[in-house]
Amino acid sequence: MWDVNAVSATVLGALRTYRLSEADARDVCQEAWLELFRAPGSLRDEAKLRAWLTTTARRRALRMITRNRRETPPPPPGPEPTPEAEVVRAERDRALWAAVDRLPDVHRRLMWLLAHRPELSYVQLAGELGISPASVGRLRRRCLDRLRRALEKGGWA
């Protein structure tokens, strides 16, 4: 007969790679054993018990992970902004873009690209701006510092 604890330990060891919680891993292992006992003819060679249970448990673990991803509810929406908050946000945005408009051309273009094309890599930004990719980080820092100083001067903290 089988050493149930040793076989279960093997199955649980294989399930660790799926990053399941300990409780979920034990549930999956138990479900694999139950599947074996529900369909006694499915395993013809007792020497292959560990492999059969491990494969069955891995398949169930993948199903559990997929099901859990689908069942994860979206985060609840935040509170609706108040009219006052909307006015402040609009004023802040106007002040920000007015300050951006006063920046040198390359800084203005960089800010526009960062705001409207955030998916661009530094190499792609460098290509758009006609500068070296190694210069993008320093240019970004100088631009943001200049923008911060301009906004603070205008009363925006």
Side-chain angles (χ1 to χ4, degrees):
M1 201 61 186
W2 310 309
D3 180 359
V4 173
N5 291 329
V7 175
S8 291
T10 301
V11 172
L12 288 169
L15 292 175
R16 282 193 185 90
T17 61
Y18 292 90
R19 296 184 181 173
L20 299 173
S21 69
E22 185 67 27
D24 285 344
R26 289 188 181 282
D27 286 347
V28 167
C29 182
Q30 185 177 25
E31 289 172 11
W33 277 102
L34 286 172
E35 190 169 326
L36 173 68
F37 293 121
R38 284 188 191 124
S42 60
L43 182 66
R44 294 189 184 106
D45 184 0
E46 287 186 29
K48 295 182 180 177
L49 173 69
R50 286 178 199 259
W52 187 92
L53 280 171
T54 301
T55 300
T56 302
R58 286 179 181 195
R59 289 177 182 155
R60 288 190 168 276
L62 288 173
R63 276 188 234 132
M64 176 183 278
I65 291 167
T66 303
R67 183 178 63 239
N68 287 347
R69 275 194 199 132
R70 275 189 256 133
E71 291 176 359
T72 303
E80 290 293 319
T82 63
E84 295 84 6
E86 284 295 318
V87 168
V88 170
R89 185 197 55 77
E91 286 179 23
R92 184 200 62 217
D93 289 353
R94 271 193 296 280
L96 171 69
W97 288 107
V100 168
D101 284 343
R102 291 189 300 272
L103 293 173
D105 181 55
V106 70
H107 289 192
R108 243 189 347 266
R109 290 187 0 233
L110 175 61
M111 285 293 96
W112 189 91
L113 289 168
L114 291 172
H116 297 287
R117 304 211 29 225
E119 74 280 358
L120 293 179
S121 68
Y122 272 24
V123 172
Q124 292 167 321
L125 285 169
E128 292 281 335
L129 298 171
I131 61 174
S132 161
S135 301
V136 173
R138 288 189 303 273
L139 178 64
R140 179 179 172 270
R141 176 78 278 152
R142 281 195 308 269
C143 181
L144 291 172
D145 285 343
R146 200 176 226 176
L147 195 55
R148 180 184 42 77
R149 285 191 305 273
L151 291 169
E152 285 173 349
K153 189 176 178 183
W156 294 92

